[in-house]
Amino acid sequence: MPADRLLSTLLRSLQTYTDQQDTPRILGTASSLLTTLGNPHNLSLLTSHLLTAPAFWDRPDGLRTPLRLVSVFHSAVTAVVNYHVDVRNHKAPTLLPGETPVGGGLALDEWIRAIVAGADDRSQRWKHLVVLGGLLIGIESLEEQGLDLYWASGMRKRVEGALVRAANLALVEVRERSEGDGLGGQTIALVLNHSFGCLGDTERAQIDYDLLLPVLLGTAYFSSEGFQSAYFLGGLNLDVRVKGEKMDWSARSSSFRQVEAIMSRPLVSSMGPLSKLIAHSVENVKDPWLIQTMMDDLAGFARALTTQWRQIKFSEIDPAEEARYLEEEALNSTLPLLWKLLKAALFATTIILRGVFTRILRDGALAADAVAPVLASQALHTLRHLYFVTSRLGPASFSQHTFVYLTVIDILSAYPIQADRFLKSIAPQQLGQIPRHPLDRILDLYFLNTAEHFSLVLSSTTNEELLVASAVPYLAAGGNRNMLPIFEAAHSVILAVLTAPQSADITAKHLPFYIDALFSVFPDNLSPRQFRLAFKTLMRVTAPPSTLSASHPDLPATLLELVFYRALNAPTEALPPDETALALQGSDAPPPALSEQAVLALTLIEALPFLHIPLLEEWMPLCAELLNQISDDTMREAVKARYWEVLVSGEMDSERSGAAVAWWGTRGGRETVLFGRESDQERVKMMSGALPLGPPLRESKL
């Protein structure tokens, strides 16, 4: 069929709504005509009708409708540009008589101008982005494939400028019509998300980010094309089936199909680039108030997500016990997709928060004393509500989260009153008790991990009545392997409080209890590395020049004796490797297996740099004596190497080093450490070769 007749037929088809099954056929015809029509007026006419066609826009299929039209213009410009490249390289096929060249014989500039002219006043401004975005993305993708399009660079720059101007006009339009979260705002977000990487720095700087940021955030988090205000979890619980003690969630349920539909949405499937665009907008908005409003919105979304999750039966299962309480389909099929969606929300939020605090570090208005602690508290609340997702990955598993978390803590630490208020707002509801609900325990874990960083700026009263009281119930929970992370967090909080300078009285009060707890859980529920770290911390707290050493000078010696006498009778079998040892087993220098006795000997040796001189001189020989009690040669050599490292590696100050050198060189230290066990064995051999007792030998007459 001739192109003109085909165009007339297509234009008539576009005037009425058609079934979605006919859409691919119509779009295919439109794409073909865009590359064959030779009359610029016809190209403009076709483009104009595509942007206003009732067949597409009377009942649009969400963002899939503008995305399909972007693909039409992308495909058309790709075909036209490729043809012009072949012509320039003399690779274009010879045309048969009556055959129309690609692009209708028009020059590339003329063809693009004709297409852009179709984005006229008969269609909304945001629809113009569909045309300009498709053209720009098509040209960019060809350049990424290595095609040299220097001859089209001028036209490309004009398309970039036109896209930015159209975006700004469209943002004004959707704001005036209050359509920021409607199809208009969603289309702006879609096109800019795909085309932002194609824009140069000059064009990016011309975007009105003050208008763009609310549209992007509303589309991503609160619209029907994004995360739907976290309410997609609302009906899930109705489809969870309990079979005995196990739960199941069918892949045929309506709630699971909804999760699949959300994951396939154009914006959700490209949430990574979209979150980076939002973060870029945050860094470039002119009105700081927009950022504060956005932080409220993010906190509200995260809070709603946690609230919705709590209503689901799956939240009642501890993550470590899912294999026990979940059916096969839920464990390996349906729930993993839900967690993928939740992780997408977590990653997007984290990237946006990174943009916020990158901006705060260089923005005087946001860094003001009246604003910075408020934003920091909001960010920590947001991260807390998302922690049921983060805890599955590990907080340190991705650098973006680590940067945001530590930066926010650093900012809030400069405001002790606000930090105190924040920690009290997220503290466990019932201090002194371990909650039964797994989600509450996850929130307790977040509280302990966060509170640890504020012990230096909190008052001694808050440290004792809030931090210590929250950690104490978990100190005895190390026997439960499912609660090991929160058990370790509780130990870290106690150590952080005990090392705070303002906590001398608290340390004296709670130290006996903590030491008893420490020795009761090692080595069964506390790894050697953690025990050594904890004891070293206690020695630093109790030894001079700490405040506690003035009122309790005998504490260091008492702690050393507790370890020493336990080590004399400690088991000598190798302990099972902890997570750190397992991770290093494949390295060039895997750590040796150590017994409880060897670990206790290392603990004493690593405490030496904190002792005052008289106590150091007393305990260096005792550590050497304990070293020689280790029967296993490999373990003994490992402890011996660590002893030498402590003495010579600079861990001691100059005065202690002088005492150590004197003991090593002139008081028998070298012989005791290096040859003490061999000397004992030689002495035993000499004694075993002596003559037995008997009558005196008769005197010879010779």
Side-chain angles (χ1 to χ4, degrees), residues 168-185:
N168 289 336
L169 292 172
L171 289 169
V172 173
E173 181 182 64
V174 298
R175 184 188 63 177
E176 292 176 348
R177 299 183 180 182
S178 300
E179 296 178 352
D181 57 350
L183 185 58

Side-chain angles (χ1 to χ4, degrees), residues 561-600:
E561 289 176 4
L562 286 173
V563 176
F564 181 78
Y565 286 109
R566 176 166 173 169
L568 292 177
N569 302 303
T572 58
E573 299 82 11
L575 295 171
D578 58 10
E579 293 181 0
T580 303
L582 289 172
L584 295 175
Q585 280 183 351
S587 63
D588 297 335
L594 298 175
S595 65
E596 181 180 341
Q597 184 183 55
V599 172
L600 293 172

